[in-house]
Amino acid sequence: MSNIFVVSRKQLWLFTLLVLIIILAAASLRWNHVRTANALQQESRVYQLVTGEFKTKTDDGKELEVYRFDPGTLVVNKGEHVELRITGINGKSHPFVIQELGIKGEVNKGKTTVVRFTADQRGTYPIVCLTHTSLTSGGPMIGYIVVQ
């Protein structure tokens, strides 16, 4: 015995419409998932740094001081969007450069300087204060960004 199904045009139209709705809903869910994943990837990871100072006196009364970035080393992941927030605590002004990343800036006492970049290449990148470059000028004031 064989079964015969009779489908009207109206039923065929409703079935087609239902399939299209399901496909559009699935595509919309996928699109939202991709947009959410991309938005999460574009968010920057924030790192806080401060400028610090150490002072001491030698036995003969000579005063020594050095400046530094604290923390002295940041480790970030390759491909990561990075936001550095460098707050000036000690020292009036610290113009700096991250040569290999093409970044220049200045940190002033009591203010926060924000620097953003994407860590595209693995390596170690020094943050160099241009005021405190040697021991005679309270330096060298260098921090490091390690991209792994």
Side-chain angles (χ1 to χ4, degrees), residues 17-67:
L17 185 61
L18 180 62
V19 168
L20 281 173
I21 290 172
I22 291 171
I23 290 171
L24 288 173
S28 175
L29 287 174
R30 175 72 180 142
W31 174 253
N32 285 336
H33 176 73
V34 168
R35 280 188 16 204
T36 301
N38 286 341
L40 289 174
Q41 287 176 348
Q42 296 300 320
E43 287 184 22
S44 292
R45 186 166 173 196
V46 176
Y47 295 89
Q48 305 281 347
L49 289 93
V50 297
T51 60
E53 176 184 23
F54 289 97
K55 286 186 176 185
T56 190
K57 285 190 178 182
T58 62
D59 290 340
D60 62 0
K62 182 179 176 186
E63 189 172 279
L64 300 174
E65 67 180 11
V66 293
Y67 290 90

Side-chain angles (χ1 to χ4, degrees), residues 47 49 69 71-72 74 76 82-86 94-107 113-121 123-130 141-147:
Y47 295 89
L49 289 93
F69 291 103
L74 296 174
V76 303
V82 176
E83 180 176 301
L84 302 179
R85 295 181 185 169
I86 311 170
H94 300 282
F96 67 90
V97 63
I98 309 171
Q99 190 73 39
E100 294 83 355
L101 299 177
I103 296 172
K104 293 180 180 181
E106 184 174 358
V107 181
T113 298
V114 177
V115 175
R116 293 179 185 90
F117 65 93
T118 300
D120 290 332
Q121 299 291 323
T124 301
Y125 304 99
I127 308 169
V128 179
C129 175
L130 300 174
M141 183 178 179
I142 301 174
Y144 297 94
I145 300 170
V146 178
V147 179

